[in-house]
mmCIF file of all heavy atoms in Angstrom:
data_model
loop_
_atom_site.group_PDB
_atom_site.id
_atom_site.type_symbol
_atom_site.label_atom_id
_atom_site.label_comp_id
_atom_site.label_asym_id
_atom_site.label_seq_id
_atom_site.Cartn_x
_atom_site.Cartn_y
_atom_site.Cartn_z
ATOM 1 N N ALA H 108 48.141 -38.676 40.037
ATOM 2 C CA ALA H 108 48.418 -37.443 40.692
ATOM 3 C C ALA H 108 47.152 -36.782 41.258
ATOM 4 O O ALA H 108 47.225 -35.717 41.948
ATOM 5 C CB ALA H 108 49.153 -36.483 39.793
ATOM 6 N N SER H 109 46.008 -37.341 41.022
ATOM 7 C CA SER H 109 44.768 -36.784 41.497
ATOM 8 C C SER H 109 44.628 -36.841 42.996
ATOM 9 O O SER H 109 45.083 -37.808 43.633
ATOM 10 C CB SER H 109 43.543 -37.482 40.931
ATOM 11 O OG SER H 109 43.457 -37.254 39.514
ATOM 12 N N VAL H 110 44.039 -35.778 43.615
ATOM 13 C CA VAL H 110 43.781 -35.783 45.023
ATOM 14 C C VAL H 110 42.328 -36.220 45.269
ATOM 15 O O VAL H 110 41.990 -36.946 46.189
ATOM 16 C CB VAL H 110 44.070 -34.391 45.652
ATOM 17 C CG1 VAL H 110 43.690 -34.393 47.125
ATOM 18 C CG2 VAL H 110 45.526 -34.101 45.480
ATOM 19 N N ALA H 111 41.414 -35.731 44.449
ATOM 20 C CA ALA H 111 39.997 -36.121 44.529
ATOM 21 C C ALA H 111 39.922 -37.635 44.216
ATOM 22 O O ALA H 111 40.603 -38.126 43.351
ATOM 23 C CB ALA H 111 39.150 -35.342 43.517
ATOM 24 N N LEU H 112 39.134 -38.339 44.949
ATOM 25 C CA LEU H 112 39.156 -39.792 44.895
ATOM 26 C C LEU H 112 38.012 -40.332 44.078
ATOM 27 O O LEU H 112 36.855 -40.003 44.232
ATOM 28 C CB LEU H 112 39.147 -40.434 46.248
ATOM 29 C CG LEU H 112 40.334 -39.969 47.191
ATOM 30 C CD1 LEU H 112 40.123 -40.574 48.567
ATOM 31 C CD2 LEU H 112 41.610 -40.453 46.590
ATOM 32 N N ASP H 113 38.324 -41.308 43.203
ATOM 33 C CA ASP H 113 37.364 -42.009 42.415
ATOM 34 C C ASP H 113 36.424 -42.781 43.319
ATOM 35 O O ASP H 113 36.878 -43.522 44.197
ATOM 36 C CB ASP H 113 38.109 -42.987 41.462
ATOM 37 C CG ASP H 113 37.272 -43.589 40.358
ATOM 38 O OD1 ASP H 113 36.167 -43.036 40.138
ATOM 39 O OD2 ASP H 113 37.635 -44.644 39.907
ATOM 40 N N GLY H 114 35.119 -42.602 43.106
ATOM 41 C CA GLY H 114 34.129 -43.319 43.914
ATOM 42 C C GLY H 114 33.753 -42.570 45.189
ATOM 43 O O GLY H 114 32.779 -42.966 45.838
ATOM 44 N N ILE H 115 34.524 -41.558 45.575
ATOM 45 C CA ILE H 115 34.226 -40.789 46.750
ATOM 46 C C ILE H 115 33.871 -39.302 46.377
ATOM 47 O O ILE H 115 32.836 -38.839 46.714
ATOM 48 C CB ILE H 115 35.417 -40.830 47.762
ATOM 49 C CG1 ILE H 115 35.627 -42.278 48.271
ATOM 50 C CG2 ILE H 115 35.112 -39.877 48.945
ATOM 51 C CD1 ILE H 115 36.889 -42.393 49.138
ATOM 52 N N ASP H 116 34.787 -38.652 45.682
ATOM 53 C CA ASP H 116 34.491 -37.273 45.256
ATOM 54 C C ASP H 116 33.849 -37.251 43.846
ATOM 55 O O ASP H 116 33.345 -36.251 43.429
ATOM 56 C CB ASP H 116 35.795 -36.459 45.207
ATOM 57 C CG ASP H 116 36.330 -36.296 46.631
ATOM 58 O OD1 ASP H 116 35.535 -35.885 47.505
ATOM 59 O OD2 ASP H 116 37.532 -36.571 46.842
ATOM 60 N N ILE H 117 34.098 -38.279 43.060
ATOM 61 C CA ILE H 117 33.420 -38.361 41.778
ATOM 62 C C ILE H 117 32.770 -39.699 41.636
ATOM 63 O O ILE H 117 33.149 -40.683 42.286
ATOM 64 C CB ILE H 117 34.469 -38.176 40.607
ATOM 65 C CG1 ILE H 117 35.511 -39.306 40.624
ATOM 66 C CG2 ILE H 117 35.115 -36.817 40.639
ATOM 67 C CD1 ILE H 117 36.338 -39.411 39.390
ATOM 68 N N GLN H 118 31.727 -39.745 40.766
ATOM 69 C CA GLN H 118 31.113 -40.966 40.453
ATOM 70 C C GLN H 118 32.179 -41.918 39.859
ATOM 71 O O GLN H 118 33.097 -41.468 39.240
ATOM 72 C CB GLN H 118 30.027 -40.730 39.395
ATOM 73 C CG GLN H 118 29.227 -41.924 38.970
ATOM 74 C CD GLN H 118 28.283 -41.556 37.838
ATOM 75 O OE1 GLN H 118 28.470 -40.634 37.172
ATOM 76 N NE2 GLN H 118 27.217 -42.313 37.751
ATOM 77 N N THR H 119 32.115 -43.170 40.241
ATOM 78 C CA THR H 119 33.146 -44.126 39.764
ATOM 79 C C THR H 119 33.408 -43.930 38.320
ATOM 80 O O THR H 119 32.525 -43.956 37.498
ATOM 81 C CB THR H 119 32.682 -45.537 40.067
ATOM 82 O OG1 THR H 119 32.467 -45.700 41.479
ATOM 83 C CG2 THR H 119 33.734 -46.494 39.606
ATOM 84 N N PHE H 120 34.671 -43.725 37.973
ATOM 85 C CA PHE H 120 35.085 -43.458 36.641
ATOM 86 C C PHE H 120 36.286 -44.328 36.338
ATOM 87 O O PHE H 120 37.422 -44.016 36.632
ATOM 88 C CB PHE H 120 35.490 -41.949 36.442
ATOM 89 C CG PHE H 120 35.914 -41.625 35.010
ATOM 90 C CD1 PHE H 120 34.875 -41.332 34.082
ATOM 91 C CD2 PHE H 120 37.236 -41.596 34.628
ATOM 92 C CE1 PHE H 120 35.269 -40.988 32.763
ATOM 93 C CE2 PHE H 120 37.584 -41.241 33.310
ATOM 94 C CZ PHE H 120 36.526 -40.948 32.394
ATOM 95 N N GLY H 121 35.982 -45.492 35.822
ATOM 96 C CA GLY H 121 37.098 -46.425 35.437
ATOM 97 C C GLY H 121 37.755 -45.905 34.136
ATOM 98 O O GLY H 121 37.213 -45.060 33.465
ATOM 99 N N THR H 122 38.867 -46.524 33.828
ATOM 100 C CA THR H 122 39.553 -46.103 32.576
ATOM 101 C C THR H 122 38.579 -46.401 31.412
ATOM 102 O O THR H 122 37.970 -47.429 31.308
ATOM 103 C CB THR H 122 40.812 -46.961 32.387
ATOM 104 O OG1 THR H 122 41.744 -46.630 33.479
ATOM 105 C CG2 THR H 122 41.455 -46.677 31.048
#
Side-chain angles (χ1 to χ4, degrees):
S109 293
V110 176
L112 300 175
D113 190 22
I115 296 172
D116 294 310
I117 62 167
Q118 180 183 27
T119 300
F120 183 83
T122 297

